[in-house]
């Protein structure tokens, strides 16, 4: 009996020691304890982006950044259709659910005005956070400013190309009149033997596509939205003439009559299927998916500068659209230094090169001009050439409301419910009324 008691005591002691050792290992492995010392858990940088090529390209930058810095990055993905409404609602409400937010340049002024995003200049100028040589701010093609401060750095640049089937059209049209003639020739209703149903593919989907595509035509033909003094120009003679020209593609049946439901993907797919002979103005972002795709026409689909107007001296005057997306920092972020580290990496030369290989189009001269990237992104030289001719949308707080007004006017125009002159004059008066009221901060108005 005594022997059994002694054995029980020994077994109990062994079990106690084993439990104590196991408990120690558990405590050592708990978050915040490394090497037996209390340490603050590493912060997570949360980045809000919309579904698309940009998000997938950004995803490729995360692993090398995390390995280099030890900072964890979490992507929050939102649907494209609801993205603008959600980011505006959350930023205006003062959310802290994300640290960085992906937004177009035209949205920066309104968020900056209400201090929903923070200036990035202090981070850029802080030598403890930013190496100016490695960061190389001068390499950016542009940054997003409001009140002389930088509020966002570009991740992507967008511009318009002319896409054309070189097996049908050996030389790309140089003027808008030449484009119109080619569209007539390769529309099957005009030429029964045409292999393409429509001469021209265009995007007309609201809210993003319709005004932006029209603006290249508008600017090319001498019209404008606002001039340098922010005076409304939508009802100028040149703007009305641009609207008259634009409407001819529908009135003459040269483009798909479902133009208003044709977005980026639908227009790209029309090129891939061989339904259209050209697409213009159309986004540079479509080219990588065509170039790397399986379309039987992929080797025939070429890109060129958008058409223009031939001057009396024979030179072509062109103007194309420029639009940028970038990352801004939430004013209510609790991880601003870590967020800056990722923002700097993602928009920098190293992160930007990774982003470019994954399908993005960084706004850095060094990346777009890098010959080592041209074999996988052969459109980059044309992007740079197009940017020399490009024009930006007006940087005013009420620009989202201008987009809405343009959408309404162009829809009336393309459905033939209003003449070009009436549609543009009505749009101009609505924009003037907004300027008088200065009520452009609420995107949902």
């Amino acid at each position: 009996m005594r022997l059994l008691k002694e054995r029980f005591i020994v077994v109990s002691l062994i079990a106690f020691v084993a439990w104590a050792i196991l408990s120690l290992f558990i405590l050592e492995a708990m978050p915040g304890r490394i090497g037996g010392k209390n340490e603050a858990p590493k912060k997570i940088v949360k980045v809000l982006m919309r579904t698309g090529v940009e998000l997938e390209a950004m995803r490729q930058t995360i692993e090398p950044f995390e390995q280099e810095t030890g900072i964890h990055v979490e992507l929050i993905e939102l649907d494209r259709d609801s993205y603008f409404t959600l980011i505006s609602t959350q930023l205006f409400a003062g959310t802290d659910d994300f640290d960085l937010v992906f937004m177009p340049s035209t949205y920066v002024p309104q968020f900056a005005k209400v201090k929903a995003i923070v200036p990035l200049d202090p981070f850029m100028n802080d030598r403890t956070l930013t190496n100016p040589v490695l960061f190389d701010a001068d390499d950016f093609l542009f940054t997003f400013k409001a009140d002389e401060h930088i509020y966002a750095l570009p991740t992507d640049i967008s511009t318009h190309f002319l896409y054309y089937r070189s097996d049908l059209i050996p030389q790309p049209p140089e003027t808008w009149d030449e484009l119109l003639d080619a569209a007539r020739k390769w529309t099957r209703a005009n030429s029964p033997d045409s292999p393409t149903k429509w001469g021209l593919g265009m995007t007309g989907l609201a809210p993003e596509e319709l005004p932006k595509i029209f603006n290249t035509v508008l600017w090319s033909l001498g019209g404008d939205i606002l001039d340098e003094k922010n005076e409304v120009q939508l009802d100028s003679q040149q703007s009305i003439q641009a609207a008259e020209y634009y409407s001819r593609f529908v009135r003459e049946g040269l483009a798909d009559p479902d133009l208003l439901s044709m977005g980026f993907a639908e227009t790209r797919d029309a090129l891939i299927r061989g339904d259209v002979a050209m697409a213009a103005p159309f986004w540079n972002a479509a080219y990588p998916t065509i170039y790397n795709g399986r379309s039987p026409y992929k080797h025939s689909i070429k890109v060129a500068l958008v058409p223009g107007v031939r001057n009396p001296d024979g030179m072509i005057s062109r103007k194309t659209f420029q639009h940028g997306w970038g990352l801004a920092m939430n004013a209510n972020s609790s991880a601003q230094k870590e967020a800056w580290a990722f923002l700097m990496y993602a928009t920098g030369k190293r992160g930007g090169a990774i982003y470019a290989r994954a399908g993005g189009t960084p706004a850095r001269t060094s990346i777009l001009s890098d010959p080592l990237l041209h074999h996988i992104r052969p459109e980059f030289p044309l992007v740079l050439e197009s940017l020399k001719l490009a024009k930006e949308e007006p940087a005013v707080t009420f620009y989202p409301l201008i987009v809405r007004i343009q959408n309404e006017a162009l829809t009336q125009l393309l459905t033939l419910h209003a003449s070009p002159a009436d549609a543009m004059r009505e749009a101009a008066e609505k924009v003037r009324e907004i300027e008088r009221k200065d009520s452009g901060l609420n995107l949902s108005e």
Side-chain angles (χ1 to χ4, degrees):
M1 186 70 178
R2 182 178 178 183
L3 182 59
L4 288 173
K5 287 183 178 179
E6 289 176 349
R7 288 179 177 176
F8 177 76
I9 291 171
V10 170
V11 170
S12 298
L13 285 171
I14 292 172
F16 176 78
V17 171
W19 174 83
I21 293 172
L22 180 61
S23 298
L24 181 61
F25 276 115
I26 292 172
L27 286 171
E28 292 294 321
M30 286 177 64
R33 289 186 61 84
I34 301 175
K37 298 179 182 179
N38 287 324
E39 291 190 11
K42 290 187 178 358
K43 289 188 176 182
I44 297 174
V45 176
K46 296 182 178 181
V47 184
L48 186 66
M49 295 187 70
R50 66 177 188 169
T51 297
V53 173
E54 302 92 347
L55 181 141
E56 297 308 319
M58 187 64 68
R59 195 186 304 280
Q60 303 309 309
T61 69
I62 291 176
E63 183 177 351
F65 171 78
E66 290 180 337
Q67 291 177 348
E68 184 174 314
T69 65
I71 300 171
H72 181 67
V73 178
E74 179 183 325
L75 280 179
I76 304 172
E77 182 175 353
L78 291 181
D79 181 78
R80 294 176 76 91
D81 293 338
S82 58
Y83 188 74
F84 290 113
T85 300
L86 288 171
I87 66 168
S88 60
T89 300
Q90 292 191 45
L91 281 173
F92 287 137
T95 184
D96 61 356
D97 288 344
F98 51 84
D99 304 293
L100 298 173
V101 55
F102 186 61
M103 67 174 62
S105 57
T106 50
Y107 277 52
V108 169
Q110 57 186 331
F111 292 133
K113 186 172 183 178
V114 298
K115 296 180 170 49
I117 55 178
V118 297
L120 299 178
D121 312 65
F123 297 94
M124 296 170 63
N125 297 328
D126 188 336
R127 298 298 178 90
T128 66
L129 299 175
T130 307
N131 182 320
V133 176
L134 294 178
F135 181 63
D136 193 3
D138 294 335
D139 189 44
F140 283 113
L141 287 160
F142 54 81
T143 55
F144 304 150
K145 293 184 178 181
D147 299 325
E148 303 304 318
H149 292 286
I150 297 172
Y151 279 88
L153 293 179
T155 59
D156 280 87
I157 191 165
S158 295
T159 189
H160 291 157
F161 290 164
L162 161 66
Y163 290 73
Y164 67 100
R165 284 272 301 276
S166 60
D167 56 328
L168 305 177
I169 307 168
Q171 296 297 322
E174 290 199 311
T175 69
W176 290 106
D177 286 339
E178 290 175 7
L179 180 84
L180 194 64
D181 289 341
R184 292 186 182 116
K185 179 178 180 180
W186 297 109
T187 296
R188 194 172 297 156
N190 297 332
S191 305
D193 294 334
S194 173
T196 57
K197 189 173 183 180
W198 313 105
L200 186 69
M202 295 181 76
T203 60
L205 190 66
E208 293 184 68
E209 302 286 353
L210 189 53
K212 290 173 170 47
I213 294 299
F214 171 71
N215 286 343
T216 284
V217 179
L218 176 71
W219 294 331
S220 296
L221 297 177
D224 211 340
I225 304 168
L226 304 173
D227 63 14
E228 294 179 354
K229 298 180 180 179
N230 283 342
E231 294 181 356
V232 180
Q233 298 296 309
L234 283 171
D235 54 353
S236 69
Q237 181 180 355
Q238 294 90 335
S239 296
I240 292 173
Q241 288 175 345
E244 289 173 345
Y245 175 86
Y246 185 71
S247 69
R248 294 175 72 176
F249 293 109
V250 171
R251 286 190 286 110
E252 295 189 26
L254 307 180
D256 193 321
D258 292 329
L259 175 64
L260 293 175
S261 63
M262 298 285 288
F264 173 87
E266 290 79 10
T267 303
R268 178 201 59 203
D269 292 348
L271 276 166
I272 290 172
R273 289 192 305 267
D275 292 344
V276 297
M278 299 178 292
F282 191 45
W283 301 102
N284 62 287
Y287 191 77
T289 58
I290 295 172
Y291 179 76
N292 296 309
R294 297 181 178 180
S295 169
Y297 309 104
K298 61 180 287 184
H299 298 298
S300 298
I301 298 173
K302 306 295 184 183
V303 288
L305 292 172
V306 295
V309 176
R310 194 179 301 277
N311 298 325
D313 61 3
M315 300 296 291
I316 306 295
S317 177
R318 292 179 169 91
K319 187 68 68 176
T320 190
F321 178 92
Q322 172 185 315
H323 182 66
W325 281 75
L327 291 173
M329 189 182 297
N330 184 356
N332 288 314
S333 166
S334 60
Q336 291 193 356
K337 288 186 177 180
E338 292 81 2
W340 169 249
F342 181 67
L343 197 163
M344 181 170 52
Y345 182 86
T347 62
K349 293 181 179 180
R350 292 176 60 197
I354 296 170
Y355 192 77
R357 292 188 186 97
T361 307
R364 279 189 175 271
T365 302
S366 62
I367 294 175
L368 293 175
S369 60
D370 185 353
L372 295 178
L373 286 172
H374 291 171
H375 72 285
I376 59 172
R377 300 299 301 273
E379 81 279 15
F380 273 6
L382 185 60
V383 171
L384 274 176
E385 189 178 359
S386 296
L387 292 177
K388 297 175 184 178
L389 315 167
K391 180 179 173 69
E392 294 181 281
E393 298 159 286
V396 292
T397 57
F398 52 88
Y399 185 70
L401 295 180
I402 294 179
V403 170
R404 177 176 294 183
I405 291 168
Q406 278 192 289
N407 267 307
E408 292 171 354
L410 294 170
T411 298
Q412 290 290 310
L413 178 72
L414 294 176
T415 56
L416 308 181
H417 284 90
S419 69
D422 289 344
M424 298 301 282
R425 286 168 182 153
E426 183 177 355
E429 285 306 310
K430 288 180 178 179
V431 175
R432 290 190 181 100
E433 182 64 23
I434 291 172
E435 280 191 315
R436 286 192 287 268
K437 292 181 178 179
D438 192 23
S439 59
L441 286 180
N442 188 350
L443 300 184
S444 62
E445 287 183 357

